[in-house]
Amino acid sequence: MKSVAHEDQQREQWRAGVETRMHVSASNGASQLCIFEQWVEPTLGAPTHWHPVEEVLTVIAGRAEMWIDDEHSVLTSGQSLVVPANRKHGFKNVGIGTLHIHAVLASPIFEATFDGPAGVVRRWLPTVS
């Protein structure tokens, strides 16, 4: 049995104004899920991108404008957005304080494709033994 102590996991700078703490991924033994939290400063968020798998974004605290394709909605604490695989989506903090998001991807590796120079990004790959 493997347990993960989240208080031992460090936040990492995802991009300016966005910090991420990975809880579960291929890097610590997961085979089918990637679970992480993000803390996002006002006006910032995740630019439009897509994943090859389904994702669930849950607002823990704050207000997030979230979108899938051209459909936009504001979600607050205790609300989730289910994003189907291969659908363009993103979010932005539209509140005055820090937005706290919990995310689950149906893959142990975070893989996202962004328009523009970022292209495909892969994170939290399996550790090599």
Side-chain angles (χ1 to χ4, degrees):
M1 179 169 74
K2 179 175 181 148
S3 64
V4 178
H6 301 300
E7 66 272 7
D8 295 339
Q9 297 171 316
Q10 299 296 311
R11 291 187 192 185
E12 66 177 85
Q13 188 76 26
W14 181 257
R15 58 189 151 276
V18 179
E19 291 186 330
T20 302
R21 178 185 291 150
M22 175 52 56
H23 290 297
V24 176
S25 70
S27 65
N28 61 5
S31 63
Q32 296 185 27
L33 292 175
C34 180
I35 302 172
F36 57 98
E37 292 179 87
Q38 290 190 311
W39 291 264
V40 182
E41 296 302 316
T43 74
L44 302 175
T48 301
H49 62 285
W50 64 96
H51 309 284
V53 297
E54 185 175 64
E55 180 178 28
V56 177
L57 298 168
T58 301
V59 176
I60 303 299
R63 293 175 49 84
E65 178 184 8
M66 294 187 175
W67 57 89
I68 299 176
D69 299 323
D70 294 327
E71 188 176 350
H72 290 244
S73 186
V74 174
L75 281 73
T76 59
S77 179
Q79 295 182 308
S80 296
L81 179 69
V82 178
V83 182
N86 300 307
R87 296 285 296 277
K88 289 188 175 187
H89 65 283
F91 66 86
K92 178 171 76 169
N93 181 350
V94 293
I96 58 172
T98 300
L99 172 65
H100 185 189
I101 295 280
H102 182 266
V104 178
L105 281 169
S107 169
I109 298 167
F110 177 91
E111 180 179 332
T113 303
F114 295 85
D115 291 332
V120 178
V121 173
R122 289 183 183 89
R123 299 175 77 105
W124 301 301
L125 302 171
T127 56
V128 178
S129 303

